[in-house]
Amino acid sequence: KGVLSYKAICRFLWNTHRVIGIGVQQNPELGNLVYVMPGFLSVVGCRIIPQKVGPLGLQDGRILWAPVFEILCKYNGSTAFFLHGREEGADYVYPGLLKSVDTDCNVLFLQVEPRHQPDEIDKDVSQIWTEMPFIRLESDDREKLLDFVSSQVRDIVPQAANALLFPLSRNGEVDSEQDFAVLHERRLLLLLMYNRVDTDLDLRSSAVCRSLDGDHPNRSKGKTLFRFLKTGLKQLLRKSRSTTGDQEHLKLNEFLRPGDIVGLSLRAKTVDVHCYKVWPCMHESLSSLYKFPIQAPKASHEYAGLWGGTFGWPPSSDKPGKALFLIFISYENQEMIATKILEGTSYVAHPNGSAMFIVNIDKPSVGIFPWDTEEESNTTIDVKESFKGEGISDGYGFRYPGSKPGSLFVLENGLLVFLWEESREVLTLQRLDLGELLRRGERVNPLSPVSNFVYLTKKYTNVYSGNPDSRNPLFFPRYDSSVDHCSFHPLKFAPISHLVPRVSII
């Protein structure tokens, strides 16, 4: 129903499958973990919310997540990109282009793209957008441009398109068919919002059109907003012009040209990234997500991959309130490295990229596992193998955590247990299927659009922390009522003539 042919689906999958995986950003150390997974004729990026383990534990419980972006398959197999965000108590989508996907891409960039030929607006958009060095702008210029463009291209999400983003984990065939029906209609709605004049789509359903027509905010406020942004960006332009002697950064008036049209874009690029152990060394002022290098389990590296768990034993007594840790295990030479990529506390205690423990797979541990039986099931605990190593401890605070000796026990039931020798603290882990957890998870509200892609701040606190008594505590940036917003046609991008003063050629 939704695509031209199987060839079109294959074209979409070939263009987008390299984006799938775990994306991280170091700033802050809490909340910047985005898992990109297959959806319904789409690829969906979901932020995993720092959270506590619920009363059902990880095996049967739900995980909290928020939508970040999605890439939809259009009728002919081409792509439509949407950034997600929330403003003024409503959910919005911010359309743009999937500009490029490199073969071995390892960084996802959210950027502003100028288009230099506004008279060709009816042509294929992907053919007339040009490469521009957005990342060479000053960080303040990048931030202001991203905020400006997102405010111009945004569209409120109709109620019918604000339900499922991907199929849920279902047992019944009837429920699954209902999910696919909802996802099909949602996709049609979003594609209509992306390009309302696409003649390739047979989307003339009156119900769909009514849903689209009834949910737009008041556009009459646009002139006020334009004047405000015009003044602010002209000041930015003058400041950029006054900067001299800086060859590294690009000036705003060099990046933008009179009469240009701008829009959002997602670029999946291959960048030379240095790593400490397996953790990328990241640029802290770019709206970028760094793909985590996935190691598939194999005979000699059977514990590689994503694990989740908490401090404490036994795992059967998962009490609400224990911080959820997501740990990525990789191998380097003879070492097994457990890198922390998410921590469900309100204030970070272990920096992202910290090795929660490192063990030598060539050195068996002589330590004895201190428990013989499971507390609830009363079954015998069998230890498969154990390794000597060391784990992160109190040390010298946040920046220089110390490590102390311990042992990693691999149990026959599949659990990994790291036990510190002196303190007798225990970190218990089980292997996770993040996609399956998200399919049965619970969706919460996203942040504002640009911050929703990657939350750049120097505060090492959980951006979703709020009232501890609330069911899903969230924190949202305070809305400034003095600056109003409006909605524009998704692909009628904002003309740069409002940003750059027009020039006269004599």
Side-chain angles (χ1 to χ4, degrees):
K1 290 182 180 180
V3 291
L4 178 65
S5 63
Y6 283 113
K7 184 178 180 180
I9 298 177
C10 290
R11 176 189 175 192
F12 171 78
L13 294 175
W14 179 253
N15 288 335
T16 59
H17 77 276
R18 303 176 188 90
V19 180
I20 293 173
I22 295 174
V24 295
Q25 203 1 293
Q26 186 165 339
N27 241 343
E29 272 66 10
L30 293 161
N32 267 336
L33 170 60
V34 176
Y35 183 61
V36 185
M37 59 183 285
F40 174 77
L41 289 175
S42 66
V43 171
V44 184
C46 306
R47 170 168 282 105
I48 310 300
I49 309 299
Q51 59 201 270
K52 312 296 183 182
V53 176
L56 299 178
L58 281 175
Q59 194 66 37
D60 302 311
R62 291 186 171 187
I63 194 169
L64 301 178
W65 63 274
V68 176
F69 66 85
E70 58 186 317
I71 305 167
L72 296 182
C73 175
K74 297 174 73 174
Y75 182 68
N76 61 357
S78 59
T79 58
F81 168 71
F82 287 96
L83 177 67
H84 284 262
R86 188 172 177 84
E87 300 179 73
E88 309 165 43
D91 290 334
Y92 288 85
V93 286
Y94 306 79
L97 296 175
L98 178 63
K99 182 63 177 178
S100 62
V101 180
D102 289 353
T103 302
D104 299 312
C105 61
N106 57 354
V107 185
L108 304 181
F109 293 99
L110 180 68
Q111 298 190 355
V112 168
E113 296 285 340
R115 186 171 63 194
H116 301 308
Q117 298 158 324
D119 56 322
E120 300 184 28
I121 197 167
D122 293 330
K123 292 187 178 181
D124 184 355
V125 177
S126 63
Q127 294 178 2
I128 64 177
W129 283 46
T130 57
E131 297 281 340
M132 293 299 292
F134 177 74
I135 60 175
R136 287 186 55 202
L137 291 170
E138 291 276 5
S139 58
D140 288 346
D141 291 355
R142 291 195 302 265
E143 182 181 354
K144 281 180 167 57
L145 277 175
L146 283 170
D147 286 336
F148 169 76
V149 173
S150 62
S151 71
Q152 305 308 298
V153 303
R154 74 178 194 171
D155 234 322
I156 198 166
V157 184
Q159 189 65 32
N162 202 22
L164 303 179
L165 272 75
F166 43 77
L168 300 181
S169 180
R170 300 283 201 179
N171 294 323
E173 183 177 346
V174 174
D175 290 336
S176 297
E177 289 180 356
Q178 291 177 349
D179 285 351
F180 282 113
V182 172
L183 287 164
H184 176 66
E185 289 301 316
R186 176 185 182 274
R187 174 175 168 270
L188 298 185
L189 280 169
L190 289 178
L191 289 179
L192 271 177
M193 295 172 68
Y194 190 83
N195 188 356
R196 301 175 196 276
V197 295
D198 192 336
T199 56
D200 291 331
L201 294 174
D202 184 14
L203 305 176
R204 284 171 273 187
S205 165
S206 58
V208 171
C209 294
R210 283 197 302 272
S211 297
L212 284 169
D213 292 339
D215 287 311
H216 291 292
N218 187 354
R219 296 171 185 257
S220 63
K221 300 176 182 178
K223 291 183 179 180
T224 303
L225 172 67
F226 247 56
R227 282 197 295 269
F228 173 82
L229 289 172
K230 178 180 176 182
T231 302
L233 288 171
K234 274 188 175 181
Q235 293 174 355
L236 176 64
L237 185 62
R238 284 195 293 270
K239 181 180 178 181
S240 178
R241 282 174 173 167
S242 65
T243 303
T244 59
D246 188 355
Q247 299 298 322
E248 180 182 355
H249 293 100
L250 191 68
K251 298 175 184 178
L252 189 60
N253 63 312
E254 296 172 331
F255 178 75
L256 303 176
R257 302 178 188 178
D260 279 357
I261 293 175
V262 292
L264 295 176
S265 72
L266 179 70
R267 290 176 177 267
K269 303 294 289 182
T270 304
V271 180
D272 186 14
V273 177
H274 298 284
C275 294
Y276 174 74
K277 299 295 185 181
V278 294
W279 187 256
C281 299
M282 307 177 195
H283 199 296
E284 296 183 349
S285 66
L286 287 175
S287 291
S288 55
L289 291 167
Y290 290 73
K291 288 191 66 178
F292 214 71
I294 301 296
Q295 292 183 353
K298 56 184 180 180
S300 59
H301 297 165
E302 59 181 308
Y303 305 115
L306 185 67
W307 296 73
T310 61
F311 278 92
W313 182 268
S316 55
S317 61
D318 283 321
K319 300 175 182 178
K322 286 187 177 181
L324 168 66
F325 283 79
L326 293 186
I327 307 293
F328 190 82
I329 292 182
S330 58
Y331 289 79
E332 187 175 297
N333 298 324
Q334 303 306 310
E335 290 182 335
M336 184 198 303
I337 306 169
T339 303
K340 191 217 85 175
I341 59 176
L342 189 76
E343 179 179 345
T345 55
S346 58
Y347 185 83
V348 66
H350 309 83
N352 265 8
S354 298
M356 293 297 293
F357 59 82
I358 300 176
V359 299
N360 191 320
I361 58 177
D362 285 343
K363 291 185 178 180
S365 174
V366 296
I368 299 175
F369 193 67
W371 294 279
D372 296 326
T373 59
E374 283 275 9
E375 188 176 273
E376 293 184 0
S377 62
N378 202 31
T379 57
T380 302
I381 296 175
D382 296 318
V383 177
K384 181 179 177 181
E385 54 185 338
S386 59
F387 309 98
K388 290 184 64 176
E390 58 182 16
I392 193 171
S393 186
D394 294 337
Y396 301 99
F398 179 82
R399 284 298 178 188
Y400 304 98
S403 295
K404 294 188 177 180
S407 298
L408 177 68
F409 296 91
V410 181
L411 307 187
E412 288 288 354
N413 61 6
L415 295 180
L416 299 184
V417 181
F418 189 85
L419 176 66
W420 280 262
E421 290 180 5
E422 293 182 11
S423 65
R424 311 303 287 174
E425 278 192 300
V426 179
L427 178 63
T428 306
L429 302 174
Q430 65 184 80
R431 191 180 288 279
L432 295 183
D433 181 343
L434 205 48
E436 181 61 25
L437 284 176
L438 286 167
R439 288 186 185 94
R440 69 165 189 261
E442 185 172 347
R443 174 181 166 184
V444 298
N445 296 328
L447 300 172
S448 57
V450 177
S451 297
N452 193 46
F453 185 78
V454 63
Y455 200 91
L456 298 174
T457 178
K458 293 292 185 181
K459 296 180 179 179
Y460 304 107
T461 54
N462 185 346
V463 299
Y464 285 86
S465 295
N467 180 2
D469 297 327
S470 62
R471 184 165 176 262
N472 294 325
L474 299 176
F475 167 77
F476 295 104
R478 183 175 297 174
Y479 171 62
D480 185 358
S481 59
S482 64
V483 182
D484 220 331
H485 296 278
C486 63
S487 175
F488 281 73
H489 188 287
L491 291 183
K492 288 183 179 177
F493 297 99
I496 287 296
S497 57
H498 290 271
L499 309 182
V500 184
R502 293 193 176 276
V503 295
S504 300
I505 300 177
I506 301 176

